Amino acid sequence: MSTENLTDRWENLEKLGADIAQNFHLRRAFASDAGRFGRYHLQFDDLFVDYSKNLVTDAVMGELIDLAKAANVTEWRDRMFAGDRINITENRAVLHTALRNLDGGPVMVDGQDIMPGIKDVLARMKAFAARVQGGDWKGHTGKTICDVVNIGIGGSDLGPVMINEALRPFHLDGIRAHFVSNVDGAHLVDTLKDLDPERTLFVIASKTFTTDETLTNALSARAWLIEKLGDDGAVAKHFVAVSTALDKVADFGIDTDNAFGFWDWVGGRYSLWSAIGLPVILAVGYDKFEELLRGAASMDHHFRTARLAENIPVILALIGVWYRNILGAASHAILPYDQHLSRLPAYLQQADMESNGKSVQRDGKKVTRASGPVIWGEPGTNGQHAFYQLIHQGTELIPVDFLVAAKALHPLQNHHDKLVANCLAQAEALMRGKTAQEVQVELAAQGMSDGEIAALAPHKVFAGNKPSTMILYKQLDPFTLGRLVAMYEHKIFVQGIIWNVNSYDQWGVELGKQLAKELLPMVRGEETAQNRDSSTAGLIDQLYSLRS
Ligand code: G6Q
């Protein structure tokens, strides 16, 4: 990669950024350019992305595309799909895309085609789910399963949780999926409270099968089951596992015939397409899961083949880079006007922040520019009655993604029309704002005196010029959902390439885990905390006085 090229590109972008910051307003841009929407939208089948309400011009978009070229985005993309070990700090390929390559050709890792193994696990999951759903799989006492509890955390939880929620309209009758992740015992206790042990199946989901939270929850769940059913032998019919470490699954006491494997080239936060999707398959059926995979595969194809300027993940990534690096935005909001996507912001928080929240480049040198932003959000319209105030009138620049379906999957059309109207209204309000003059006219029409108007008007002015991208899709079916999630995965990939970070490791989560191990005996009172810093030692003292 030629750094010199990149330096030139950044300099050009900075110049354009200074001009935009001074002289650009979205309201004027729309008023003066009837072709703005026409130029700044992308359509891929029934997925429509309107990026015209962003603080960009033709010059900016052209320069951003040149930045992507200078960073060799397409070469890196091809290396990822080809199975090169682009996760350099873990010496691993990054091949979650192979998991959905159902109709594609071979994908080689170390000279071996990995597709047969992927299809084999899918077939086993399909058969297993059919047995559970059809009532052939019986619990220890001969009863059928009606509740599935997935025990996993991070990448072994957030993906399936988000998908399970998103596909609620497709849930099969008779099986409910639950998710326990937190080592806070309240999560497990509250979940098990209303469940019938005779009819409950636990899926222990852990790539490594060493994660303390997951093993702690799994052991407590096992103890609960054995206590309720009065027999150690019950475990065989009520516990299955998803892992890359099948030896550890066996050590835990789960029959590996009831374990579903995946591979080290699947990153945790990219694993929902693998056997980690098992609770989703149990909840919605295998066919719907396959539609999800096919939707993702269609986005993979788009990402691999569309020109950079027409490539949805690339454009989203570049616009994000523009805000982060040139216009100084520290965060990015994900605002789905789709209740079923209520867990999408949390899912993307991990996908994005764990991938691109890095301070060193691939070669170990410190980054010279900001990397990943803070990702956050909540579904609309709820957020409107909560934090949108700050987006509209606060001092932060917060680019927003709105997501909304043209068609609802429920019969309450009136609700859906209101939902869509609100979503469009927010994008418009952010874009145009409300000028002092508009406010004055409005207040005068309400009969206010000049003095009253002068006092109130500044509070009622909206600066506008706040950017948003509208992601509009026909309806939230499994195919569309797969497409949307893959779109974000590739957006994150492109940004990681531009920032030159390794998006596929997560060393930043290790230190806390290590220290928790050291502190546990102190919290338990088995060791003194004397040698810790005074804050930690003082807090452990307080803990004891509060407990006694
Ligand atoms: C994701 C991270 C992390 C991981 C969890 C659970 O990319 O690696 O969130 O998924 O720590 O790990 P296990 O699946 O190994 O239990």
Side-chain angles (χ1 to χ4, degrees), residues 221-359:
R222 184 164 72 177
W224 173 83
L225 185 87
I226 292 172
E227 194 220 307
K228 297 281 182 191
L229 300 187
D231 185 353
D232 285 17
V235 171
K237 289 288 174 197
H238 293 267
F239 275 73
V240 300
V242 174
S243 187
T244 58
L246 296 181
D247 50 335
K248 296 200 177 75
V249 169
D251 293 347
F252 183 87
I254 295 175
D255 185 346
T256 47
D257 283 349
N258 301 328
F260 302 89
F262 60 114
W263 304 271
D264 75 351
W265 38 260
V266 183
R269 54 193 172 277
Y270 297 89
S271 65
L272 70 88
W273 324 99
S274 73
I276 291 292
L278 183 63
V280 174
I281 299 179
L282 289 164
V284 302
Y286 176 80
D287 291 349
K288 295 284 174 252
F289 187 72
E290 206 176 288
E291 284 172 32
L292 179 87
L293 297 182
R294 288 186 192 285
S298 79
M299 181 53 72
D300 294 341
H301 182 73
H302 168 81
F303 180 50
R304 291 180 86 167
T305 54
R307 289 176 46 233
L308 291 180
E310 283 154 18
N311 197 310
I312 294 173
V314 171
I315 293 298
L316 294 181
L318 292 174
I319 290 175
V321 166
W322 171 244
Y323 292 124
R324 183 78 183 109
N325 296 112
I326 306 298
L327 300 185
S331 83
H332 183 104
I334 305 288
L335 307 177
Y337 277 65
D338 196 324
Q339 187 58 28
H340 288 136
L341 290 179
S342 62
R343 297 301 288 159
L344 182 70
Y347 170 79
L348 289 178
Q349 227 159 35
Q350 180 190 28
D352 200 317
M353 292 165 75
E354 208 167 58
S355 296
N356 288 339
K358 310 279 162 71
S359 307

Side-chain angles (χ1 to χ4, degrees), residues 107-339:
V107 178
M108 309 301 283
V109 172
D110 295 333
Q112 279 225 314
D113 181 11
I114 57 174
M115 289 314 301
I118 292 171
K119 288 181 180 167
D120 177 58
V121 174
L122 280 175
R124 288 185 55 232
M125 290 201 289
K126 180 178 183 176
F128 173 71
R131 285 179 70 196
V132 174
Q133 285 148 358
D136 297 335
W137 177 282
K138 304 265 192 314
H140 186 62
T141 57
K143 293 194 178 165
T144 56
I145 299 299
C146 62
D147 287 288
V148 172
V149 181
N150 188 77
I151 295 183
I153 196 166
S156 300
D157 171 71
L158 286 160
V161 167
M162 181 270 290
I163 301 284
N164 184 62
E165 202 51 43
L167 296 185
R168 222 162 243 293
F170 300 90
H171 281 195
L172 299 170
D173 289 339
I175 303 233
R176 290 178 307 170
H178 312 264
F179 295 85
V180 173
S181 51
N182 201 333
V183 75
D184 183 341
H187 204 175
L188 184 68
V189 169
D190 291 354
T191 305
L192 297 185
K193 196 160 62 88
D194 299 323
L195 301 191
D196 176 356
E198 292 181 87
R199 303 193 62 195
T200 298
L201 177 75
F202 292 95
V203 176
I204 312 302
S206 175
K207 180 174 168 182
T208 55
F209 231 76
T210 58
T211 303
D212 190 43
E213 290 95 325
T214 298
L215 295 183
T216 303
N217 276 322
L219 285 170
S220 298
R222 184 164 72 177
W224 173 83
L225 185 87
I226 292 172
E227 194 220 307
K228 297 281 182 191
L229 300 187
D231 185 353
D232 285 17
V235 171
K237 289 288 174 197
H238 293 267
F239 275 73
V240 300
V242 174
S243 187
T244 58
L246 296 181
D247 50 335
K248 296 200 177 75
V249 169
D251 293 347
F252 183 87
I254 295 175
D255 185 346
T256 47
D257 283 349
N258 301 328
F260 302 89
F262 60 114
W263 304 271
D264 75 351
W265 38 260
V266 183
R269 54 193 172 277
Y270 297 89
S271 65
L272 70 88
W273 324 99
S274 73
I276 291 292
L278 183 63
V280 174
I281 299 179
L282 289 164
V284 302
Y286 176 80
D287 291 349
K288 295 284 174 252
F289 187 72
E290 206 176 288
E291 284 172 32
L292 179 87
L293 297 182
R294 288 186 192 285
S298 79
M299 181 53 72
D300 294 341
H301 182 73
H302 168 81
F303 180 50
R304 291 180 86 167
T305 54
R307 289 176 46 233
L308 291 180
E310 283 154 18
N311 197 310
I312 294 173
V314 171
I315 293 298
L316 294 181
L318 292 174
I319 290 175
V321 166
W322 171 244
Y323 292 124
R324 183 78 183 109
N325 296 112
I326 306 298
L327 300 185
S331 83
H332 183 104
I334 305 288
L335 307 177
Y337 277 65
D338 196 324
Q339 187 58 28

Side-chain angles (χ1 to χ4, degrees), residues 373-414:
V374 174
I375 302 291
W376 60 284
E378 280 287 327
T381 59
N382 293 9
Q384 291 175 207
H385 299 264
F387 53 79
Y388 279 32
Q389 164 66 37
L390 187 146
I391 307 180
H392 283 289
Q393 287 189 313
T395 51
E396 294 295 311
L397 169 67
I398 303 177
V400 167
D401 284 0
F402 290 113
L403 295 104
V404 69
K407 287 168 67 166
L409 292 173
H410 57 71
L412 305 179
Q413 187 60 38
N414 174 40

